[in-house]
Amino acid sequence: MTLKDATAIVGIGQTAFAKHLPESERALACRAVLAALDDAGIDPGEVDALASYTMEETDEVELAKAVGFGDLTYFSKVGFGGGGSCATVAHLAAAIAAGQATVGVAWRSRKRGSGPRPWTNTSVQLPTPAQWTRPFGLLRPADEIAMLARRYLHEYGATRDHLFNVALACRNRANRNPAAIMYDRPLTREMYMTARWISEPLCLYDNCLETDGALACVIVGRERARDCRRPPVYVHSAAQGLPAQHHGMVNYWNDDPLTGPAWAAARHLWKHADFTPSDVDVAQIYDAFTPLVPLSLEGYGFCGRGEGGAFTEGGALETGGRLPLNTGGGGLSEAYVHGFNLINEGVKQLRGTSTSQVPGAATCLVTAGEGVPTSALLLRN
Amino acid sequence: MLTPVPDADGAPFWEYAARGELRVQTCADCDEPRFPPRPCCPHCHSFASEWRATSGRGRIWSYVVPHPPLLPDYAAHAPYVVLLVELADAPRIRLVGNLVSEPGAALGSVPPDRVRIGARVQAVFGADGLPQWVLERP
Ligand SMILES: [Zn+2]
């Protein structure tokens, strides 16, 4: 048995994205799931499989009761925050391909815009590895990734202009996407270069948004997909990645901290694919922080080691460029819902309905959080 | 300020640090140092380990300079320098710590423009028992 094209995403749904939404995470989850099922033309009573992140606070029991699912025969949750996004789809694809279920829903609902920052909760006291970092004031995810970013810039001669190229590509796409939080907020190089620091070398615009919102998608087997309301977007290849001696966001203690989980996920992803990085028409690359993009471009094989910064030059990530990126605006400028918007945007591209449509897009890479145990999908239409 | 909440494997590091010693967990069978501490050796699978003294010398592998918003105790010192120091005695063992002007000095006591990757640093210990780092050539 192989996963290759055995299943397809046939429905996507999302709520509004905003700094503050009045409804609860549970209510937002229900809305996104119902929207995705409606998009697919599938009745909630047919759903028999669920997958989300371990950080998702709307549990399966509550969601199943609220929206009226049938009997569930498969449910799964994936750890490591944004590293779990693509794996939710991968778990459902595997379950459906193996006959454990027939209609799967993956979702993520999050009130990060109006809720407290996770890093301010010090009552969750310093487990490993936090005992080695937090007492010294390495407090936030931005601080942890900035440490790797500083070394990356130093070792390979990458520059803040390269990071700006990433931020700008996402912002330019968001400026075309009415659903994006940064729809009407252009970014300039001067704004970037004079922005306040968050954790040097990372400034305000190197960091993702704080967003309230929810998204979901529906996955079914290949045969069933042909009868759905929308054209199927096939799950061509899927992988998770937790490399040897990896240590999460503070991946400082293995031989080579600048090769993160992307490298491990990529090896499996491409091994099972009929195409290569040069055949990818559009990419949705997890962008909680701008440096994750050049690191991921290297990991997923779009360029050589140390070349991720230079890859961003000459409009490569813009529409019409070598690898149009995060076409809804990404976590940096559309919404930060632990990367689930990247999955749905990948589906939109392969349906031909993105607000920054890549003409004739037939293949899309979607990745989950880099810097944590991760996951990735190759989608095709 | 946040104080370390050690787990069982990490506790010896903090006990030695409180005595002014920078020690690293090392496999008692294959001599491979490892960090963070853990129950068994990923190389030879031995459960026997020792805490070996280091010279406390190292080089700056990377660093960051956090700015607010931060927890209030840390915001009061910002911007301050957080180092990642690669130990001279044990390459690839990299310890997070603060660069300070002298033992026991506050976070933020060295201006960020004095810091560069590759600079040599020496471990010192403040009154709170946390290892800190000073530049060998300030
Ligand atoms: Zn050993």
Side-chain angles (χ1 to χ4, degrees):
Chain A
M1 185 186 82
T2 168
L3 273 193
K4 188 188 293 178
D5 302 329
T7 62
I9 300 175
V10 293
I12 54 174
Q14 69 189 49
T15 66
F17 303 132
K19 184 86 174 170
H20 176 74
L21 294 173
E23 289 188 301
S24 68
E25 281 185 1
R26 192 190 301 181
L28 295 172
C30 293
R31 288 193 187 280
V33 167
L34 288 170
L37 286 164
D38 182 59
D39 188 53
I42 293 177
D43 186 86
E46 291 190 58
V47 173
D48 56 7
L50 291 178
S52 193
Y53 308 51
T54 55
M55 286 189 177
E56 173 59 45
E57 290 183 14
T58 301
D59 74 35
E60 296 92 335
V61 174
E62 295 301 324
L63 186 65
K65 281 193 296 188
V67 302
F69 291 146
D71 294 344
L72 299 179
T73 56
Y74 182 91
F75 30 93
S76 169
K77 282 193 169 179
V78 187
F80 310 106
S85 61
C86 293
T88 62
V89 172
H91 285 204
L92 291 173
I96 291 166
Q100 294 298 102
T102 56
V103 176
V105 169
W107 87 95
R108 181 75 172 111
S109 177
R110 199 168 192 226
K111 294 191 74 167
R112 159 102 167 221
S114 57
R117 304 289 167 270
W119 58 266
T120 59
N121 183 1
T122 57
S123 65
V124 182
Q125 257 292 10
L126 307 186
T128 302
Q131 64 182 310
W132 310 111
T133 57
R134 296 200 81 200
F136 306 105
L138 201 73
L139 301 174
R140 305 161 297 183
D143 304 314
E144 297 169 345
I145 292 299
M147 192 72 91
L148 295 174
R150 171 87 68 182
R151 181 72 190 191
Y152 180 79
L153 300 180
H154 170 83
E155 196 152 316
Y156 295 118
T159 66
R160 291 192 67 219
D161 263 306
H162 293 143
L163 303 183
F164 166 65
N165 290 341
V166 173
L168 181 66
C170 292
R171 187 62 66 93
N172 285 343
R173 299 297 83 71
N175 291 161
R176 298 175 55 85
N177 173 10
I181 292 199
M182 293 297 177
Y183 173 54
D184 51 3
R185 306 269 295 274
L187 177 69
T188 65
R189 185 174 182 278
E190 190 191 354
M191 286 165 68
Y192 179 89
M193 290 299 172
T194 59
R196 66 185 171 88
W197 294 115
I198 300 298
S199 192
E200 298 177 55
L202 301 184
C203 73
L204 178 66
Y205 297 112
D206 293 309
N207 290 264
C208 61
L209 302 168
E210 307 283 4
T211 310
D212 288 3
L215 301 104
C217 70
V218 181
I219 297 138
V220 299
R222 178 180 184 82
E223 299 300 318
R224 175 71 190 271
R226 295 193 182 111
D227 302 327
C228 289
R229 187 176 283 166
R230 308 275 184 201
V233 169
Y234 295 101
V235 178
H236 181 66
S237 182
Q240 292 181 265
L242 197 178
Q245 297 292 313
H246 175 71
H247 215 96
M249 296 285 284
V250 287
N251 187 37
Y252 307 150
W253 298 299
N254 64 11
D255 286 358
D256 185 357
L258 297 179
T259 58
W263 276 257
R267 281 189 288 274
H268 186 87
L269 196 68
W270 295 120
K271 188 169 84 182
H272 294 279
D274 290 344
F275 53 92
T276 68
S278 62
D279 304 313
V280 169
D281 296 322
V282 58
Q284 316 295 336
I285 293 184
Y286 196 93
D287 58 344
F289 307 101
T290 56
L292 300 183
V293 170
L295 287 168
S296 298
L297 290 170
E298 295 173 19
Y300 287 100
F302 293 98
C303 59
R305 181 75 194 274
E307 296 171 357
F311 186 96
T312 68
E313 294 171 4
L317 309 180
E318 303 284 337
T319 303
R322 195 167 155 195
L323 186 68
L325 183 89
N326 298 4
T327 43
L332 288 163
S333 283
E334 182 188 32
Y336 185 65
V337 192
H338 260 160
F340 208 108
N341 50 321
L342 299 174
I343 300 171
N344 282 12
E345 175 62 20
V347 172
K348 290 173 194 172
Q349 279 287 346
L350 299 181
R351 287 176 172 182
T353 60
S354 170
T355 50
S356 291
Q357 183 62 39
V358 172
T363 59
C364 180
L365 168 70
V366 186
T367 77
E370 177 60 353
V372 289
T374 194
S375 51
L377 297 170
L378 288 173
L379 303 177
R380 77 185 317 177
N381 58 17
Chain B
M1 307 297 270
L2 298 171
T3 53
V5 177
D7 59 9
D9 296 311
F13 178 94
W14 300 108
E15 289 158 14
Y16 286 115
R19 288 187 244 153
E21 292 179 41
L22 192 74
R23 292 188 180 236
V24 170
Q25 189 191 30
T26 304
C27 177
D29 282 314
C30 78
D31 292 330
E32 188 76 19
R34 59 183 189 256
F35 192 88
R38 74 202 77 162
C40 80
C41 172
H43 301 274
C44 76
H45 307 129
S46 167
F47 281 69
S49 70
E50 301 168 354
W51 284 82
R52 296 204 183 150
T54 73
S55 66
R57 290 190 301 112
R59 285 178 183 270
I60 297 174
W61 191 85
S62 188
Y63 65 99
V64 299
V65 185
H67 292 251
L70 293 158
L71 297 174
D73 286 351
Y74 291 86
H77 292 282
Y80 53 89
V81 177
V82 188
L83 300 181
L84 190 58
V85 175
E86 190 159 71
L87 296 183
D89 304 338
R92 297 187 301 284
I93 295 213
R94 306 183 187 96
L95 301 179
V96 176
N98 296 115
L99 186 68
V100 295
S101 57
E102 59 184 351
L107 270 63
S109 57
V110 176
D113 62 9
R114 302 297 311 279
V115 187
R116 64 176 178 80
I117 287 177
R120 293 175 191 277
V121 290
Q122 174 70 46
V124 295
F125 293 86
D128 60 2
L130 288 190
Q132 301 178 307
W133 300 89
V134 295
L135 289 165
E136 273 193 13
R137 278 178 255 165

